[in-house]
Amino acid sequence: MSSSNSQEAAANASVTAAAPVSPSYYKRHVFFCLNQRSNGENCCAEHRAEAAFDRCKSQVKAAGLAGPGQVRVNKAGCLDRCAAGPVLVVYPEAVWYSYVDESDIDEIVESHLKNGQLVERLLTPAHLGR
């Protein structure tokens, strides 16, 4: 290791050691792909993703799950999983879901976001990408 690299490593180690590890601002963060493609390719926006996002956000709020230390629901651009669309991803677990309708969103909110249980039937197959 060069002296420059070892100095950087030492500096990073001291910053890491000095900075306390804080808990995540949100317990879970949900991202909905709302991408719209103009070239005719498959995209989440063509599958009512915006309505699903609105539904999830309102369900999270109604369940008292919204806010710091709890759940945040966000819009996202292309998540590059169009073949499985529409999709959403829940972090920090990095769990991908493909959904069809409002009842799927309600089940994700109730099972995963509220109770920490995966909704197995809605998991996006790992091989499906763009």
Side-chain angles (χ1 to χ4, degrees):
M1 183 184 293
S2 74
S3 116
S4 170
N5 286 344
S6 61
Q7 288 171 344
E8 278 183 51
N12 288 339
S14 67
V15 169
T16 302
V21 177
S22 63
S24 178
Y25 191 72
Y26 295 110
K27 180 177 181 180
R28 291 196 173 89
H29 209 142
V30 183
F31 293 93
F32 275 80
C33 178
L34 301 182
N35 192 52
Q36 174 69 55
R37 295 188 187 281
S38 58
N39 61 3
E41 287 184 68
N42 193 26
C43 63
C44 292
E46 295 295 323
H47 300 283
R48 299 187 27 86
E50 183 93 29
F53 163 80
D54 291 340
R55 175 73 176 198
C56 185
K57 197 158 180 86
S58 69
Q59 291 295 321
V60 164
K61 188 173 182 177
L65 299 174
Q70 298 189 81
V71 177
R72 173 75 181 173
V73 181
N74 274 96
K75 296 178 179 182
C78 185
L79 295 174
D80 216 22
R81 305 281 316 263
C82 308
V87 298
L88 65 89
V89 60
V90 180
Y91 286 104
E93 297 98 328
V95 172
W96 290 81
Y97 289 112
S98 297
Y99 56 88
V100 175
D101 56 27
E102 289 182 349
S103 66
D104 290 345
I105 298 302
D106 294 349
E107 189 174 357
I108 291 167
V109 170
E110 183 66 26
S111 294
H112 190 146
L113 303 181
K114 187 174 182 181
N115 297 315
Q117 300 296 312
L118 296 182
V119 183
E120 299 279 340
R121 71 179 189 83
L122 298 176
L123 293 176
T124 303
H127 70 281
L128 289 179
R130 189 162 182 204

